[in-house]
């Protein structure tokens, strides 16, 4: 069992930055791949970024490549998402995710554990 708690969402203007954090706890938390997904109002949940359990491999959606950076602190069992140059289209509820096969990292339906979500709103 893995528990995930996100923090760091908020309301910002376009061009600003935000940092989301996800605290993971549980027996297998330290060995789990982790990811961030987001879901805008009326849309399906979509993949944003993923990081391997070792932190050595990352992957990003094309829409955030070069603007967002995912990282993890294995000692603290936390994963973070640094979001720069935010755009109004980044507005969504952002979810931390854990435990999935790396080859299925972009598939929301293959994620075993989810956080409760944190709202990110970017105004024009």
């Amino acid at each position: 069992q893995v528990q995930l708690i996100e923090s760091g969402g908020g309301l910002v203007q376009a061009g600003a930055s935000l940092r989301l954090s996800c605290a993971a706890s549980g027996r297998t938390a330290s060995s789990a791949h982790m990811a961030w997904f987001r879901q805008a109002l009326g849309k399906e949940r979509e993949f944003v970024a993923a990081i391997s359990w070792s932190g050595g491999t990352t992957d990003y959606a094309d829409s955030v490549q070069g603007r967002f950076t995912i990282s993890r602190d294995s000692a603290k069992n936390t994963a973070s998402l640094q979001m720069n140059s935010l755009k109004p289209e980044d507005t969504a509820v952002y979810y931390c995710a854990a435990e999935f096969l790396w080859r299925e990292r972009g598939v929301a339906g293959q994620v075993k554990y989810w956080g409760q979500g944190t709202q990110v709103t970017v105004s024009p």
Side-chain angles (χ1 to χ4, degrees):
Q1 190 80 6
V2 176
Q3 295 79 41
L4 304 171
I5 300 176
E6 302 103 331
S7 61
L11 170 63
V12 297
Q13 291 187 325
S17 298
L18 272 178
R19 186 177 181 87
L20 305 182
S21 294
C22 175
S25 61
R27 187 172 57 87
T28 59
S30 62
S31 60
H33 301 318
M34 297 184 72
W36 290 92
F37 285 72
R38 67 186 181 187
Q39 188 166 17
L41 193 64
K43 296 187 177 181
E44 294 187 352
R45 192 167 299 189
E46 66 174 4
F47 169 74
V48 175
I51 188 165
S52 63
W53 70 271
S54 67
T57 305
T58 58
D59 188 33
Y60 298 91
D62 290 343
S63 58
V64 306
Q65 181 78 46
R67 299 188 297 123
F68 291 11
T69 302
I70 189 170
S71 60
R72 70 187 296 166
D73 183 333
S74 297
K76 297 180 180 180
N77 275 349
T78 59
S80 299
L81 185 69
Q82 177 66 42
M83 307 185 293
N84 298 329
S85 302
L86 283 162
K87 305 175 181 180
E89 51 263 45
D90 294 319
T91 295
V93 177
Y94 283 69
Y95 295 91
C96 181
E99 287 206 16
F100 45 87
L101 295 176
W102 187 252
R103 64 175 182 265
E104 296 172 339
R105 59 192 176 276
V107 183
Q110 297 300 322
V111 171
K112 190 171 184 180
Y113 299 109
W114 293 98
Q116 81 285 358
T118 185
Q119 177 70 46
V120 171
T121 303
V122 185
S123 63

